[in-house]
Amino acid sequence: MSVRPSVQRFIEYLRIRTVQPTPDYSTCTKFLQRQAQELGLDFSVKEYVAGKPVVILSWPGTSPELPSIILNSHTDVVPVFEEFWDYPPFDAARVATDAQGTDFRIYARGSQDMKIVGHGYLEAIRRLKVEERRQMLRTVHAVFVPDEEIGGHDGMQLFVESKEFAALNAGLALDEGMANPGKSLRVFYGERAPCWVKFIARGNTGHGSQFIEGTAAEKLVPIVDHLMQLRQTQLQIYKTPRDDGSQRTLGEVTTANLTLLSSGVQHNVVPENASAGFDIRMTPAADYAEFRRDLEALAERHGAEAEFVQFWDDNSTTATDRSNPFWPAFERAVTAQGFDVLKEIFPAATDSRYLRRAGVPALGVTPLCQAPILLHDHNEFVKESELLAAIDFYAAVIAAVANVH
């Protein structure tokens, strides 16, 4: 049985080892350049850090003065533990789901996160521009960025600060979302902000047999207790249904997890220092500046220091009503395909946060419904039918938002 060309191109994209910490961006850029040539798209590459290309494939609109549409995706993928995979993670094995071969699973790192999205953009443009010979009112830019999986600091963060980004005159961006085991389509209009904080306490030292006062542990433990109580309070909020009886999502609460704990040299020596690191994800409903001040005051109150390893200070969200001129068109295109829209705050961090802070409305959506969440997991896969449906989805959505007057 022959493989559809769109599927074969997807397999080729998946086989490019853009895996951290040494992603093959060079081969990936060549692949994207070939796609641009086949589709008749303008092609440009800019490196804000050497070896980390931002690739842009542009489809000029009939009214290029209007704010453009950005179709964003990242090209890098997370590392793998190959011994836990049933198939080599960069072979993109195509495995039949039944004896008749009615569908196939394509196993590969990055299949869900997020090469199905980037490839879906390009195949949708292929259909609209090449096969149907349609024109869009607004210019469409398919943007492929590096290093999202390690924070995007050398990719999207620098890109949105550049003159090249300003020249795009972006009006709306689409970006990655997440699969949903349920029937609804998850559309993310904001995301929780990372606060990675390390508390460091120093105190008196001495023999472990003595009652030594003012130790590092005495100072650190109340801080840990305070944050674990915050965690418990937020967990109870998360478990409490909304007034309409529906389940809350992680985006509505702030999570706090103790992820690093360090102290001591041996059992009979009271340590001079102790530290605890927390991964906190703040809901956009929180006042981030006030939250940071509270953590600093907590440390000071107990004679410790607060070191912020990472702190995101912007809680911008994208309007999902008629105040956003693109939302009605987006929603119509989605519901016309039979999807129920589930609006959510993304529980972790994506490159959309840089776009929103730059003033560009961004919607995160990966059209995988009734599908397991496999990002960063062993045996990551998408079904061939899901890829083909994603192409249909993006063709409809791009045509809708790129023709908003």
Side-chain angles (χ1 to χ4, degrees), residues 29-48:
T29 299
K30 292 174 184 175
F31 169 81
L32 294 172
Q33 185 173 23
R34 194 173 77 249
Q35 303 311 302
Q37 291 169 345
E38 291 179 7
L39 299 175
L41 301 176
D42 298 337
F43 180 83
S44 63
V45 182
K46 182 70 176 180
E47 293 185 357
Y48 301 95

Side-chain angles (χ1 to χ4, degrees), residues 144-159:
F144 294 82
V145 295
D147 282 16
E148 188 275 346
E149 295 292 5
I150 56 173
H153 307 296
D154 293 341
M156 182 60 81
Q157 183 175 357
L158 295 179
F159 178 48

Side-chain angles (χ1 to χ4, degrees), residues 116-117 178 185 339 365-369 386 389-391 393-394:
I116 187 176
V117 175
M178 189 185 296
L185 179 73
F339 291 107
V365 56
T366 297
L368 292 171
C369 299
E386 292 170 337
I391 297 169
F393 174 86
Y394 285 119

Side-chain angles (χ1 to χ4, degrees), residues 143-307:
V143 177
F144 294 82
V145 295
D147 282 16
E148 188 275 346
E149 295 292 5
I150 56 173
H153 307 296
D154 293 341
M156 182 60 81
Q157 183 175 357
L158 295 179
F159 178 48
V160 299
E161 298 169 355
S162 70
K163 64 180 186 296
E164 289 84 10
F165 179 80
L168 298 184
N169 186 27
L172 175 74
L174 300 182
D175 201 349
E176 66 182 316
M178 189 185 296
N180 184 13
K183 295 180 179 179
S184 299
L185 179 73
R186 306 171 80 178
V187 178
F188 298 95
Y189 62 94
E191 55 192 59
R192 297 192 303 173
C195 169
W196 295 354
V197 59
K198 182 179 182 181
F199 294 95
I200 305 164
R202 294 180 173 84
N204 297 322
T205 185
H207 199 282
S209 64
Q210 305 300 303
F211 279 124
I212 297 170
E213 298 186 79
T215 65
E218 287 178 292
K219 299 174 181 178
L220 187 65
V221 167
I223 296 172
V224 173
D225 286 345
H226 180 92
L227 286 170
M228 296 308 287
Q229 183 57 51
L230 168 68
R231 183 183 191 277
Q232 187 62 30
T233 300
Q234 292 291 302
L235 178 59
Q236 289 306 311
I237 295 172
Y238 175 65
K239 288 182 175 181
T240 303
R242 303 187 188 99
D243 292 341
D244 63 2
S246 60
Q247 175 61 47
R248 297 182 189 274
T249 64
L250 278 175
E252 298 173 60
V253 295
T254 293
T255 53
N257 285 295
L258 176 60
T259 54
L260 298 169
L261 197 59
S262 177
S263 186
V265 291
Q266 64 183 51
H267 279 85
N268 62 348
V269 177
V270 175
E272 182 274 335
N273 66 79
S275 66
F278 283 85
D279 181 346
I280 303 172
R281 304 299 173 112
M282 304 175 291
T283 174
D287 183 326
Y288 293 169
E290 181 180 3
F291 190 86
R292 178 171 180 143
R293 287 194 297 269
D294 288 346
L295 293 180
E296 291 169 338
L298 175 66
E300 184 177 357
R301 190 160 63 246
H302 295 286
E305 304 169 21
E307 176 185 303

Side-chain angles (χ1 to χ4, degrees), residues 45-122:
V45 182
K46 182 70 176 180
E47 293 185 357
Y48 301 95
V49 173
K52 298 185 177 187
V54 173
V55 180
I56 305 173
L57 289 71
S58 299
W59 180 12
T62 57
S63 296
E65 72 280 1
L66 292 175
S68 67
I69 305 300
I70 288 181
L71 309 175
N72 184 63
S73 69
H74 63 82
T75 53
D76 62 320
V77 302
V78 296
V80 297
F81 299 93
E82 294 199 31
E83 65 270 24
F84 297 108
W85 283 65
D86 294 336
Y87 304 93
F90 296 99
D91 277 8
R94 184 172 175 263
V95 181
T97 58
D98 55 34
Q100 292 73 39
T102 54
D103 203 353
F104 295 84
R105 288 181 173 183
I106 302 173
Y107 287 87
R109 172 58 87 223
S111 52
Q112 270 199 12
D113 184 15
M114 63 174 288
K115 289 185 175 180
I116 187 176
V117 175
H119 185 69
Y121 295 154
L122 295 181

